[in-house]
Amino acid sequence: QVQLVESGGGLVQPGGSLRLSCAASGFTLDNIAIGWFRQAPGKEREGVSCITSSYVTTYYPDSVKGRFTTSRDDAKNTVYLQMNSLKPEDTAVYYCAADSVELCRPDYSDMWDYWGQGTQVTVSS
């Protein structure tokens, strides 16, 4: 019924770019914020970004600011994460998640209603 599916991950050289997609099915993204998270082996999950239904964006780690951009296309029911100037430390499984109350709070797991299965991003020389 309700599903988020990430796509666009893969292997990229340092300095390269990837665009991740988060496609919703079974529900509309109207009035829903979408966050991006990532988790590397041996590391805690961390919030990357959030975009609200009003197109307000937030980027959480200083390390991604200026390199990552999140956007949304409500006609396609899809949210994107454009990642530029990728570094090896960006290597992780990237997840998108839906927040129906649009609080965009990355450290509160109960605030996120639905999660995708993740897409692997590997940055390697």
Side-chain angles (χ1 to χ4, degrees):
Q1 289 182 326
V2 175
Q3 190 174 27
L4 293 173
V5 178
E6 303 94 337
S7 62
L11 175 65
V12 65
Q13 296 269 353
S17 298
L18 286 173
R19 180 181 286 267
L20 306 184
S21 298
C22 175
S25 61
F27 69 106
T28 176
L29 292 181
D30 292 351
N31 304 310
I32 292 176
I34 295 292
W36 287 96
F37 298 79
R38 64 186 181 184
Q39 188 166 23
K43 301 290 186 180
E44 295 290 325
R45 182 188 64 212
E46 68 170 344
V48 175
S49 68
C50 190
I51 182 167
T52 72
S53 62
S54 299
Y55 304 96
V56 176
T57 57
T58 305
Y59 303 93
Y60 299 109
D62 288 341
S63 62
V64 312
K65 294 176 181 176
R67 299 190 298 123
F68 289 12
T69 303
T70 188
S71 61
R72 63 194 293 153
D73 186 339
D74 290 338
K76 296 182 178 180
N77 220 28
T78 300
V79 170
Y80 304 97
L81 182 67
Q82 177 69 44
M83 305 184 294
N84 298 326
S85 301
L86 283 163
K87 304 174 180 179
E89 54 262 43
D90 296 317
T91 296
V93 177
Y94 283 71
Y95 303 88
C96 63
D99 176 5
S100 63
V101 292
E102 303 203 77
L103 293 179
C104 290
R105 301 175 70 176
D107 296 331
Y108 294 85
S109 61
D110 288 346
M111 299 303 302
W112 301 92
D113 303 292
Y114 307 107
W115 292 80
Q117 295 301 304
T119 185
Q120 177 72 49
V121 172
T122 302
V123 185
S124 177
S125 60

